[in-house]
Amino acid sequence: MSNTDVAISAPAPIVSVKPVVLPAPDRGHDLHVRVSAPATGRELPIIVFSHGFGSSLDAYGPLADFWAAHGFVVIQPTHLDSRTLGLSPDDPRTPRIWRHRVEDMKSILDHLDVLAAAVPGLGGRLDPTRIAAAGHSFGGQTVANLLGLRVLDPETKIGEDLSDPRISAGVLFATAGQGGADLTPFAVENFPFLNASFADMTTPALVVAGDNDDSALTVRGPDWMTDPYFLSPGDKSLLTLFGAEHSLGGIPGYEAAETTDEHPGRVALIQHLTWAYLRSALYPEDAAWPAARTALSQSTDPLGRIESK
């Protein structure tokens, strides 16, 4: 049995519109969003996707295109750290970019009707009761905030609850672990928001980590990226990808320069398993996830392993 032997329908045609502009007067730049959706179908579930540091709404085609072709509406903002905006390090917004990212995602959820109306034929076809959030790297922490992760104030050591009850499940790709002594001096100086607590991250989630993702932000090594699974309570699953580095085989884009571990088979596995996870998370009667887990466990040459709690 192959690594991607998951029962899934043939890909459907998709429509994609960009940029849809949401006014954001307090942000300094209006929020630009890409919306991708199946050309047909009703009561469509939603995935809001947060890109990695420096990226934009134009990236992550291998994920967005696949999810949209198999029944999800995928919504991708361009966050303030994007290279397309060119904010300087001394911009007054820079220290709170992590917070602006969370607010971007909430703004999308506040304006689903506006976003749907901007895509020809999409109005009235969304199911706002079935929403998931997914993100890669910095975007993984952005999504984790929406699931209950708390960034700790350096003085009080208390973190504000930024979770959003509209989100039923999350997928965290290559997401930072705990802070404190686990951080390198570089990370301590430049990324204070990495001091966070997973203790209240209760929303169900799939954590995806590469066992060769050796980050410059931590002194621990690749297992740091599994902290969102091991340190959070509730219904969680962990997909560990063998040999994968930070791009997990190539999810940031087709032939993206930052992919150091190009592996089309690994990307295909991620596509199928995340689709299956989100189907079962948003539709509990759907057996796609348990079937996908069984298929991977029975593979004679698996590209990864899954554990759950």
Side-chain angles (χ1 to χ4, degrees):
M1 186 171 291
S2 74
N3 284 279
T4 56
D5 192 6
V6 177
I8 189 169
S9 60
I14 68 174
V15 292
S16 186
V17 172
K18 66 163 188 179
V20 183
V21 180
L22 296 178
D26 297 332
R27 188 175 179 265
H29 288 77
D30 288 339
L31 179 60
H32 285 209
V33 178
R34 180 183 190 130
V35 182
S36 303
T40 59
R42 302 192 64 81
E43 298 183 347
L44 299 170
I46 299 159
I47 301 172
V48 185
F49 187 86
S50 180
H51 63 69
F53 182 81
S55 192
S56 73
L57 57 74
D58 287 313
Y60 297 92
L63 296 177
D65 292 350
F66 184 90
W67 290 335
H70 293 93
F72 288 91
V73 175
V74 184
I75 306 175
Q76 300 171 263
T78 290
H79 297 302
L80 286 174
D81 56 271
S82 174
R83 289 183 292 272
T84 65
L85 298 180
L87 262 65
S88 66
D90 58 359
D91 187 287
R93 292 167 289 179
T94 296
R96 289 175 59 81
I97 274 184
W98 73 269
R99 180 65 180 267
H100 283 291
R101 283 172 145 265
V102 178
E103 291 166 357
D104 291 347
M105 301 287 274
K106 289 177 178 281
S107 180
I108 286 170
L109 299 181
D110 292 340
H111 296 94
L112 288 176
D113 288 347
V114 174
L115 295 171
V119 180
L122 188 58
R125 294 172 53 214
L126 275 61
D127 183 349
T129 70
R130 302 185 196 271
I131 301 175
H136 175 240
S137 194
F138 197 2
Q141 193 192 46
T142 300
V143 170
N145 277 279
L146 298 168
L147 307 183
L149 175 80
R150 299 193 183 191
V151 173
L152 302 179
D153 182 274
E155 302 295 330
T156 65
K157 308 302 181 185
I158 296 173
E160 183 181 353
D161 180 10
L162 299 175
S163 62
D164 197 305
R166 292 171 290 186
I167 295 172
S168 301
V171 181
L172 309 180
F173 296 97
T175 299
Q178 68 180 358
D182 289 349
L183 299 178
T184 60
F186 172 80
V188 170
E189 181 177 351
N190 293 280
F191 305 112
F193 54 82
L194 291 177
N195 284 303
S197 170
F198 293 92
D200 298 292
M201 199 179 86
T202 56
T203 304
L206 171 63
V207 177
V208 183
D211 68 5
N212 203 28
D213 185 1
D214 200 0
S215 172
L217 301 178
T218 182
V219 297
R220 268 181 45 200
D223 75 306
W224 188 57
M225 302 288 184
T226 65
D227 282 358
Y229 172 76
F230 287 107
L231 300 182
S232 65
D235 182 3
K236 301 292 190 298
S237 292
L238 172 64
L239 168 60
T240 302
L241 296 164
F242 304 149
E245 299 176 10
H246 198 59
S247 294
L248 303 175
I251 65 169
Y254 304 107
E255 301 179 1
E258 64 262 41
T259 299
T260 57
D261 61 337
E262 185 175 7
H263 194 303
R266 187 180 297 138
V267 173
L269 178 67
I270 291 169
Q271 291 170 331
H272 285 75
L273 289 179
T274 55
W275 174 88
Y277 175 81
L278 291 172
R279 281 294 307 180
S280 293
L282 298 180
Y283 302 88
E285 71 281 3
D286 193 316
W289 178 237
R293 292 187 58 182
T294 298
L296 183 63
S297 69
Q298 294 178 349
S299 171
T300 56
D301 186 23
L303 296 176
R305 67 174 180 274
I306 296 169
E307 53 195 286
S308 297
K309 62 177 185 178

